[in-house]
Amino acid sequence: TTTTTTVTFTNTVQNTGNRDDVLNIVFDPSKDLAGFPAGTKVTLQNPDGTPLTDHNGDGIPDVGTVGQNNTADILVKVEFPAGSTPATGVIPTVTVYVVSSNDKTKSDPTKDIVNLPGLAFGDPNSGIGGDPTPVGTPPTGTTTDFPNGSGNPSNPILPPATCTAPIRTYLPMEVGNTGSATDLYNIDGTAPIKLSSGASVTTPIKYYKDVNGDGKLDSGDTLLVDTNGDGKPDTGPIAGGTEVKLIAVLDVPCDAAAQTITLTQTATSPNTGATGTDGNNTVTVGTSGKPTVTKSVNVTEAKPGETLTYTIVAKNASNANVTAARVCDKVNVVATFVSYTATTSATGTVLYGLADSTGKVSSWQKTAFTTTPLEATICAGVDTNGDGNITAADILKPGETITATFQQRINDK
């Protein structure tokens, strides 16, 4: 619990004898209070909330005189501190006795049971049975090795060139009931995935019961379904002190960009509100594909004095950002420069520059060149960060293009 919590039981006592009796209420916290954390307090009260008192002078609180076959109610108020968790394997129980004043050998006990909720959710780690970390204690580590060889940053998913179905990856999970009563838990998980188009999708995580407990997704594992009618998949009833092994399954879209995906996973009891989260699992998508350049010309043959128009399209066809992208071409030795202009689908400003023999561009300008030196190499890039240069800080995102239109006139001789 997050705050001090009080549970009040109403207990009824009955005089089953054949004469009036003063019914004593006996409770010994040293032996009649089990399974509660330190600091738990129990008080016996009348129905109006006032403390029970001793009416007949025997030093024991009672409900006063109760006639033959009549009853009286008492309140058993149990108050336990914030942050309480039940003792392992012990159901929190208060035992209260009613004892006859006429004949102290006549008594009867009742047990008031407080079922405190508890939840452990996360990677196979430490908790119930040495497995998940209990709620409130973040699981250790920052990544999880995925049993099918994908999803681990050291072994990332690589979308194939021909991808017709999402790339499936999975990891073992566990949910344990650390409370003292049977409970069930809704399991929910999502993963925000950036696509190569620059858009993002939130992909749901599917959960299966790991029937054979091997930590792998097998044909016999069963998808979690809604068993309690609240519209959310759940574990089904889990007895106190036991656990259920799960497999979390994430289907990564074919067009996922290169990235590290962080999974957000939550287990919640719809009955008690106990909640546990696990946010330390990641899936890494590696770089696949590569930038492409295509070049076409407006004619197949040309005579001296005629102008050739080349269209050069540079596309980031990979699933990762390309930095400092530029498109360059060289004025042919038998041609004269006419123009070199470029456009881009990226957000930014097209800049132009002349490259030296090593390919380095020393300065960039916003205006296209009208003249160039003989056999010059002309480049165009897109300034996405607005600093007036083309550097590693300038990004051509997956799917974005730079298109250059290059005109040269064939020399007469």
Side-chain angles (χ1 to χ4, degrees):
T1 62
T2 56
T3 61
T4 299
T5 300
T6 300
V7 178
T8 302
F9 296 90
T10 299
N11 293 171
T12 301
V13 297
Q14 183 178 21
N15 178 4
T16 59
N18 59 4
R19 59 178 172 148
D20 292 350
D21 199 351
V22 175
L23 300 181
N24 291 329
I25 307 300
V26 177
F27 165 72
D28 183 351
S30 66
K31 61 181 180 180
D32 297 331
L33 184 64
F36 287 97
T40 299
K41 179 182 178 182
V42 175
T43 56
L44 305 177
Q45 299 176 342
N46 295 302
D48 62 2
T50 60
L52 288 186
T53 58
D54 174 19
H55 292 86
N56 63 353
D58 63 0
I60 303 173
D62 58 63
V63 296
T65 302
V66 180
Q68 181 183 352
N69 290 324
N70 287 339
T71 61
D73 289 341
I74 65 167
L75 303 182
V76 179
K77 181 180 179 181
V78 184
E79 184 178 287
F80 46 99
S84 297
T85 56
T88 303
V90 181
I91 298 176
T93 304
V94 179
T95 303
V96 180
Y97 297 83
V98 58
V99 182
S100 166
S101 294
N102 295 331
D103 180 357
K104 290 188 170 34
T105 66
K106 299 294 188 292
S107 67
D108 189 50
T110 189
K111 294 182 182 297
D112 295 329
I113 298 172
V114 179
N115 286 318
L116 298 179
L119 169 61
F121 178 61
D123 311 328
N125 198 314
S126 61
I128 288 186
D131 293 315
T133 300
V135 59
T137 305
T140 58
T142 55
T143 60
T144 293
D145 292 341
F146 284 59
N148 63 348
S150 63
N152 183 9
S154 64
N155 189 12
I157 295 172
L158 296 175
T162 302
C163 183
T164 58
I167 306 149
R168 172 155 287 190
T169 188
Y170 59 84
L171 72 157
M173 301 290 293
E174 291 180 352
V175 56
N177 181 354
T178 60
S180 53
T182 298
D183 205 349
L184 64 77
Y185 305 98
N186 294 330
I187 309 297
D188 178 68
T190 57
I193 301 177
K194 183 173 64 176
L195 304 180
S196 58
S197 65
S200 294
V201 295
T202 299
T203 303
I205 301 170
K206 300 175 183 178
Y207 293 90
Y208 290 77
K209 271 189 180 177
D210 187 5
V211 176
N212 60 7
D214 64 353
K216 300 178 180 179
L217 183 62
D218 304 314
S219 59
D221 295 336
T222 56
L223 184 67
L224 294 192
V225 296
D226 173 21
T227 68
N228 66 341
D230 66 357
K232 300 176 182 179
D234 60 67
T235 60
I238 302 177
T242 63
E243 68 182 9
V244 168
K245 297 182 181 297
L246 303 174
I247 300 293
V249 176
L250 177 64
D251 291 326
V252 179
C254 289
D255 58 342
Q259 66 196 287
T260 296
I261 305 166
T262 299
L263 281 57
T264 300
Q265 304 180 93
T266 304
T268 304
S269 165
N271 303 318
T272 64
T275 300
T277 60
D278 184 0
N280 75 324
N281 298 124
T282 59
V283 176
T284 298
V285 181
T287 302
S288 63
K290 61 182 181 180
T292 60
V293 179
T294 58
K295 184 177 182 180
S296 60
V297 66
N298 62 326
V299 295
T300 56
E301 294 182 0
K303 300 175 182 178
E306 294 182 343
T307 298
L308 301 175
T309 300
Y310 296 93
T311 302
I312 309 165
V313 180
K315 180 179 181 180
N316 181 1
S318 75
N319 68 340
N321 292 333
V322 172
T323 60
R326 58 183 184 174
V327 182
C328 302
D329 208 341
K330 186 176 182 179
V331 180
N332 195 283
V333 66
V334 296
T336 300
F337 172 80
V338 177
S339 66
Y340 188 93
T341 59
T343 60
T344 181
S345 64
T347 301
T349 303
V350 173
L351 301 181
Y352 301 91
L354 299 178
D356 60 21
S357 59
T358 66
K360 180 180 179 181
V361 177
S362 58
S363 64
W364 293 91
Q365 62 187 45
K366 293 182 179 180
T367 56
F369 292 101
T370 56
T371 60
T372 63
L374 294 176
E375 300 183 60
T377 298
I378 312 169
C379 299
V382 55
D383 177 17
T384 61
N385 70 341
D387 67 353
N389 288 295
I390 304 300
T391 67
D394 297 304
I395 295 172
L396 193 67
K397 298 177 181 177
E400 293 182 336
T401 59
I402 301 174
T403 301
T405 301
F406 183 25
Q407 290 188 317
Q408 299 182 86
R409 185 174 58 252
I410 301 175
N411 295 333
D412 292 337
K413 57 180 179 179

